[in-house]
Amino acid sequence: MYIFTISIQEMQFKYPELFWALFLLLIPIFIHLFQLRRFKKTPFTNVKFLKKVVSESRQSNTLKKWLLLFTRMSLLAALVFVFSQPFFAEKSALKQKETVIYLDDSFSMQLKSEGTTLLENAVQDLIKKLPKTERFSLFTNTKTFRNTSLQDIQNELLALGFHNKQLKINEVFLKGQTLFSSDPSTEKNLIVLSDFQQRMAGGSVEKLSRLQLHLVRLGADAVTNVAIDSAYITSETSENLTLSVELSSTNQKESVPVSLFNGDKLAAKTSASFDASPTVTISFSLPKNEVFNGKIEIDDSGLSYDNRLFFNIGEREKIKVLSVGNQKNDFLKRIFTEDEFAYTAFELKNLNYSTLAAQHLIVLNDLPQIPASLTTSLKAFIANGGHLTIIPAVGIDMDSYNLLTSNYATSFVQSLRDEREITNISFSHTLYQNVFEKNVTNFQYPKASEFYQIKTSAPTALGFQGGIPFLVGDESFFLFTASLGPENSNFTKSPLVVPTFYNMAMGSLKLPPLYTVLGESTTIDIATTLAPDHILKLKKPDFEFIPQQRSLAHKVSLFFNGDLQEDGIYAVMEDQKTTKNISFNHNRNESKLAYLNTEQLGSDLSATSIASLFDTIEKDNSVTELWKWFVILALLLLFVEVLIQKYLK
């Protein structure tokens, strides 16, 4: 049914076409003005008295007729108004409505207002204010309910938990737009319910076209919080490790108790005193050669998710590194120390090929030629997840080298004798991402006297002046373009040599760190060989999770891409056997309680609470019907006509 409206001042009508019935007002006019009644003249003796009576009767009769005419016309007009259904309303109240609601369920919504969290308050207000059967769409940072009603999703709203994901404000607007229909005739309302943390900023925020934007800032009683930011090993001795823990506070409390647990057992307790500083670092001493399933915990009335931090210290797997080639240049032995690596070195003539498969990293060091048999074995080694680093000798057999490097779209072209400095460092390369605090431009550059020109599509980690590559590769393959022998290059005496080869080895077996941050793309290698048809799974009390994984000859790589959501200490299990424990923690981005200025976001209507917003929307959409008043008017006019007929002679 289509609703047509016309306006008489502010009054509108649902069925204005019924005003054609006002032509019926002509009927009483015709009846009253064109009566066919004739009067007879009767002679009478007292003529003077008779003229006076006739004059008075005609005046009274004429007044009565006009009153009846006006009353009946008004009665008929009132009935026409009743059936045309008049009402008062804003123009927007007559449009069909579409409503999309964004409900922020990030960790910052754990702050409390009147004893309950901001998220719980928002859910309760929505349940109270949303009509039970009205259709709308609602989305959070992780869930979407499209074209639903309150009675359909009420239980899911009540069960909403907090999440470590936070949409940017431009992402909220863009996603909200996708949930509206393409019908241009409907009024579209996007309601954003959030505390509007500063971290929501990002990307360009454009004015929303054809949308009414309503922002409701949800505020806590007190914006205070103490957070455990991070933990790391700062030093170690033969018997102990020093664990440093960083904490931050928004209101600089005098002190906060900090507890350290090993499993469920309290291992140590201390306090963090902030004094005049917003951050503080405390330390714990831990036994070095013991498995420690750690949990650091504080008691704070602010956000609860950052009041604990899990970590693991266990028996460290030694990364197996094998060097094949020139043993006179023993710089690798000084880098790959016994506490972290199982390092072995062989001359090519003494190499047992059967040992290659058990290695994590193989370094071909200064070989004049690579035998075909070794090339075949190395290809199988790499296919099973092994990592390879090649350091050519001076005057190599390029054909034998190219037979191996062609698998990586890399080939040797020619040898160049031209002493050059190694000046270009790719600070964004995986080898150097966490090595330098800032881009270094003024240190003593290493150099090489002779190098090889190559063709490659591999990224360059280090380069000579002029842009010629010195070290290329990524992930499982690295290639130097010059010999590192002391007669050709002083690179092995450069500060770059240790982080370069150390990170190559660490990348060959990605051991579990102290803890992993949830939501970040992470790979963890477990040094084990799976039985056929077996998989690894993560388990903690009342929760199991099977990550993406790749089983290789000597390790299993576990891939985490934001699909794991719960923090804690997980046991890595094969069948019913625990292989290792690893820890996961939420990032601490939400702990920074800084907020956006919503006035700059272009809101059409801002409200201090959900209740006031919906009250305003309801008022704007309200329709005041007037037909009942016209029914009452018609009844009054009917009563007036009866009185006229009875009392006016």
Side-chain angles (χ1 to χ4, degrees), residues 100-214:
V100 174
I101 302 171
Y102 165 70
L103 178 58
D104 188 356
D105 61 348
S106 61
F107 282 128
S108 63
M109 298 287 283
Q110 289 179 340
L111 289 179
K112 294 183 178 180
S113 175
E114 298 180 356
T116 54
T117 64
L118 297 179
L119 179 60
E120 292 170 336
N121 286 338
V123 169
Q124 291 297 330
D125 286 343
L126 286 175
I127 291 174
K128 291 177 183 177
K129 288 296 181 180
L130 280 172
K132 298 293 183 183
T133 57
E134 181 178 307
R135 309 298 293 183
F136 63 92
S137 296
L138 183 145
F139 66 100
T140 67
N141 292 304
T142 57
K143 296 183 178 181
T144 301
F145 306 97
R146 185 187 293 269
N147 192 25
T148 185
S149 65
L150 180 60
Q151 58 188 7
D152 293 335
I153 65 168
Q154 180 169 329
N155 291 334
E156 292 182 78
L157 288 179
L158 291 171
L160 278 179
F162 299 96
H163 201 275
N164 62 357
K165 184 178 180 181
Q166 171 67 75
L167 294 176
K168 301 294 186 183
I169 193 66
N170 63 318
E171 295 173 334
V172 171
F173 292 169
L174 291 174
K175 184 170 183 179
Q177 284 183 305
T178 64
L179 297 177
F180 288 106
S181 72
S182 57
D183 186 356
S185 64
T186 60
E187 181 180 293
K188 299 174 173 60
N189 293 288
L190 176 59
I191 300 173
V192 181
L193 311 177
S194 175
D195 58 350
F196 295 99
Q197 270 206 328
Q198 187 71 47
R199 67 186 297 258
M200 292 180 69
S204 59
V205 179
E206 298 181 359
K207 178 65 176 178
L208 300 178
S209 60
R210 296 183 298 173
L211 292 184
Q212 296 290 323
L213 177 62
H214 310 292

Side-chain angles (χ1 to χ4, degrees), residues 530 534-537 546-551 556-559:
L530 287 180
H534 278 204
I535 61 171
L536 295 182
K537 63 182 179 181
I546 300 177
Q548 297 180 27
Q549 52 195 276
R550 181 188 179 196
S551 180
V556 179
S557 296
L558 305 179
F559 304 98

Side-chain angles (χ1 to χ4, degrees), residues 492-530:
T492 58
K493 300 183 182 301
S494 164
L496 286 173
V497 67
V498 174
T500 298
F501 281 93
Y502 182 86
N503 287 337
M504 286 179 185
M506 297 303 292
S508 67
L509 183 65
K510 297 179 176 65
L511 296 172
L514 197 65
Y515 62 86
T516 299
V517 176
L518 292 168
E520 297 180 357
S521 181
T522 307
T523 301
I524 295 177
D525 293 335
I526 306 298
T528 186
T529 302
L530 287 180

Side-chain angles (χ1 to χ4, degrees), residues 12-35:
Q12 301 176 69
F13 301 88
K14 189 173 184 180
Y15 302 109
E17 63 271 18
L18 292 181
F19 281 115
W20 288 104
L22 290 176
F23 284 110
L24 296 176
L25 296 178
L26 296 174
I27 296 175
I29 294 175
F30 291 142
I31 292 174
H32 284 268
L33 296 182
F34 301 99
Q35 293 187 25

